[in-house]
Amino acid sequence: MYSRVDLPALGTQFDVPIFLLQGEADYLTLPKISRAYFDTLQAPQKAFILLRRTGHDPNQVMLDAQLDVLNERIRPLAE
């Protein structure tokens, strides 16, 4: 998928926190490619979260991780 979208052209500097959740078994967007792009990003806070036992499609591991990130990392920023 990354070969079809030029994400760096969209920008690498963000004024908001960036949290990237990546499935370790994602064969559409490989973790090493996602990580390389993530490492170019500049943001006030950022985290690359590699999820075990999950790929590209939504599943319970991904949904649980998203909820955890929202509750533990994003919600406190809004308070």
Side-chain angles (χ1 to χ4, degrees), residues 4 7 26 33 44 47 57 61 68 74:
R4 291 188 254 164
L7 291 175
D26 189 335
I33 293 173
D57 295 325
V61 172
D68 288 345
I74 297 172

Side-chain angles (χ1 to χ4, degrees), residues 14-67:
F14 295 91
D15 294 330
V16 297
I18 301 292
F19 300 98
L20 195 153
L21 287 77
Q22 171 72 47
E24 73 173 353
D26 189 335
Y27 300 117
L28 295 175
T29 308
L30 298 174
K32 70 178 189 174
I33 293 173
S34 295
R35 182 63 197 223
Y37 167 68
F38 175 82
D39 288 343
T40 69
L41 301 179
Q42 296 178 2
Q45 180 179 358
K46 66 180 195 172
F48 183 88
I49 303 161
L50 189 63
L51 303 175
R52 298 175 150 265
R53 302 180 321 273
T54 193
H56 190 81
D57 295 325
N59 60 41
Q60 198 59 51
V61 172
M62 179 68 77
L63 297 174
D64 291 345
Q66 290 172 338
L67 184 59

